[in-house]
């Protein structure tokens, strides 16, 4: 390269690098902005835009969403005889009775196939893919499948093989109608089709089978969605009772608040049991909503400042009958098949994610919405959000804090008591609990949690069942049941259980020494009843004990001594000796040490210095914490620096020739400065 060409080359490079002084910060800014914008709106399900009169709202596209499209369940749970693992799909968990709100039982296989695009022909689907048919007796199949009894045996290969297996080879039967064969071979009537290998046959080899409604099959209620051909891929908008928007309520997300908030009463969240205006007293993460036409707090409409409380941090009563209990607070904007729950309102990047929860069903009742959380839609501040019908409800209802609120707070050691007996230390320390109704100066909610932590924290909670014991010289025998280990021979426990159909027989078996299953306990002694009985007992014991004299102080029981004595009565009964050193059959806590441990736990729960889990705690120990909103702001600053550098070269032209080294140094200076400002500004703002 000659000197002239080399000089021109330097000039060209100089011009390129001078342009980069502007382009580079712009590129960095655009990259950051676009990257975080796409993350904020990433959703796991197909969506559509619904245009209301005032806004365009992002909604799930139920025409493209089936049960197979939902993300896996993240948590492993066991309820009665039902359980699922982390990573299980919802169609593998839910049974037909669980989605009875959608009426799947009135569908037939033929109807489902017609509604599912590109479904497989029945001659290519094995009979084993429809296990419900294998659970039917032959007589019941003849009863429900149109004209099945009129077909000759050799025309229905699966039944022919079953018949040959039971009656051996009998060629005379092949040309007889199936109904006549059942009369000649009575054993066939009660034979089930799954006694043979159904994978060798197709669904089409049983004539008219696909025309039978699912509810006509015995045991359809407990069949899982995945076990009904094509049902898991049926769009939710095609069920007999379709999933769709309920009402037209749309609001704007005005603000987002973390779990450090408290005392929120203007809510639109709750349950179908307690209504949708349930008050939150503590750990109240929430999104604040506003009318679409309003602008922040400058204009006040009837829906100004409504609060949708996070179900990750708050739960309310739900379910019915034998399965009543607690569920995340939330709403039903798309019907009762599932519940929509606000999860983590993130103040650091002004976003909030939501999740879905489903429920179980038994003949004796429906469970709370506890199957989840299944990731749903994510929103930003100022995004419109569909909330459905604003039903309202009683503001006297109060939610309670969940374990998420407890685990998000730093654990503090419970002080040791040198006067107490040496006992097994607790495996885990409890967290702060919600404020609740006080009896005098005693917080019964904190006392309840303290007792539960000792009684059943590591043994099954509401499904805990202890060994068979006899007390009072053998006059009272039974088992300690549930979260608070209430003895089955207690009068109030017996009355509560006996009020449930079949409860008297259940009590008889328990008090005779037969250990019940967790499903039976859940049915006859559900969580709501356990909570109510303990609350009643605590109220009576607190009231009675505060009028009694403490022999240690010579004064009436009060303060810590009142808590200790009430706990002793729960542990040993009303007539137990004060501060006795005798223990139960397990040889663990003595009466005295039990009261002291409950008192320590109670005092920990009622402390007023529990740290909040606001977003400020998230950055501890991390050095730098970046957020989408802050990075966007910082990237704009970086862009501004690039523009200033670009235009100053025209305002102040340099007399000296601009060398290649000058351009290079300027290039790298602005490159580093843009990155440093982006990260540094974000960190300081955070």
């Amino acid at each position: 390269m000659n000197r002239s060409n080399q000089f021109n080359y330097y000039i060209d490079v100089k011009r390129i690098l001078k342009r980069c002084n502007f382009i580079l910060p712009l590129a960095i800014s655009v990259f950051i902005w676009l990257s975080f914008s796409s993350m904020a709106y990433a959703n796991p399900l197909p969506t559509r835009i619904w245009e209301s009169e005032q806004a365009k709202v992002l909604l799930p596209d139920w025409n493209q969403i089936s049960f197979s499209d939902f993300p896996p369940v993240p948590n492993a749970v066991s309820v009665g005889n039902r359980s699922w693992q982390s990573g299980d799909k919802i169609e593998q968990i839910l049974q037909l009775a669980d989605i009875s709100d959608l009426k799947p039982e009135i569908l037939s296989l033929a109807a489902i196939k017609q509604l599912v695009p590109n479904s497989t022909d029945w001659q290519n689907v094995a009979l084993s893919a429809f296990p419900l048919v294998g659970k039917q007796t032959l007589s019941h199949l003849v009863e429900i499948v149109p004209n099945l009894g009129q077909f000759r045996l050799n025309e229905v290969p699966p039944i022919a093989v079953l018949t040959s297996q039971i009656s051996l080879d009998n060629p005379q039967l092949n040309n007889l109608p199936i109904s006549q064969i059942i009369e000649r071979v009575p054993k066939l009537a009660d034979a089930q089709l799954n006694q043979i290998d159904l994978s060798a046959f197709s669904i089409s080899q049983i004539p008219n089978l696909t025309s039978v409604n699912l509810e006509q099959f015995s045991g359809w209620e407990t069949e899982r969605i995945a076990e009904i051909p094509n049902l898991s891929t049926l769009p939710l908008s095609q069920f007999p009772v379709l999933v769709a928007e309920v009402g037209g309520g749309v609001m704007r997300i005005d603000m987002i608040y973390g779990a450090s908030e408290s005392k929120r009463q203007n809510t639109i969240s709750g349950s179908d049991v307690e209504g949708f205006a349930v008050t939150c007293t503590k750990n109240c993460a929430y999104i604040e909503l506003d009318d679409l036409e309003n602008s922040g707090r400058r204009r006040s409409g009837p829906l100004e400042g409504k609060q949708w409380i996070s179900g990750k941090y708050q739960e309310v009563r739900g379910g019915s009958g034998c399965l009543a209990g607690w569920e995340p607070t939330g709403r039903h904007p798309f019907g009762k098949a599932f519940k929509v729950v606000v999860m983590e309102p993130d103040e650091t990047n002004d976003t909030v994610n939501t999740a879905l929860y489903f429920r179980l069903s038994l003949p004796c009742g429906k469970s709370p919405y506890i199957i989840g959380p299944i990731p749903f839609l994510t929103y930003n501040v100022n995004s419109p959000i569909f909330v459905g019908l604003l039903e309202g409800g009683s503001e006297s209802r109060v939610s309670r804090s969940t374990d998420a609120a407890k685990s998000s707070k730093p654990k503090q050691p419970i002080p040791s008591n040198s006067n107490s007996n040496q006992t097994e230390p607790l495996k885990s320390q409890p967290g702060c609990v919600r404020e609740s109704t006080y009896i005098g100066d005693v917080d019964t909610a904190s006392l309840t949690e303290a007792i539960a932590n000792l009684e059943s924290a590591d043994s099954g909670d509401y499904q805990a069942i202890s060994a068979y014991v006899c007390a009072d010289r053998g006059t009272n025998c039974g088992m300690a049941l549930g979260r608070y280990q209430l003895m089955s021979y207690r009068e109030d426990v017996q009355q509560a259980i006996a009020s449930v159909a079949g409860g008297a027989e259940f009590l008889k078996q328990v008090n005779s020494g037969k250990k019940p299953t967790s499903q039976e306990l859940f049915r006859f002694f559900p969580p709501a009843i356990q909570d109510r009985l303990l609350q009643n007992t605590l109220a009576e014991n607190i009231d009675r004990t505060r009028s009694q004299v403490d022999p240690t102080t010579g004064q009436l029981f009060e303060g810590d001594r009142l808590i200790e004595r009430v706990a002793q009565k729960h542990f040993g009964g009303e007539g137990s000796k004060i501060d006795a050193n005798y223990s139960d059959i397990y040889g663990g806590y003595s009466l005295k040490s039990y009261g002291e441990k409950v008192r320590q736990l109670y005092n920990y729960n009622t402390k007023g210095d529990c740290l909040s889990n606001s977003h400020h705690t998230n950055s501890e120990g991390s050095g730098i914490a970046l957020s989408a909103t802050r990075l966007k702001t910082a990237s704009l600053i970086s862009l501004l620096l690039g523009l200033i550098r670009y235009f100053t070269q025209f305002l102040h032209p340099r007399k000296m020739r601009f060398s290649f080294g000058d351009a290079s140094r300027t290039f790298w200076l602005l490159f580093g400065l843009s990155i440093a400002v982006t990260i540094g500004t974000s960190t300081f703002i955070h």
Side-chain angles (χ1 to χ4, degrees), residues 263-288:
K263 297 181 180 178
R264 293 296 178 264
Q265 298 179 326
N266 191 24
T267 75
I268 61 167
S269 52
S271 69
D272 56 359
V273 171
E274 296 199 296
F276 297 93
V278 177
T279 296
C280 176
T281 60
K282 192 176 183 180
N283 300 317
C284 305
Y286 70 97
I287 58 175
E288 184 169 303

Side-chain angles (χ1 to χ4, degrees), residues 497-508 524:
I497 293 177
S499 65
V500 180
E505 182 62 26
F506 169 79
L507 270 175
K508 183 179 178 181
F524 296 109

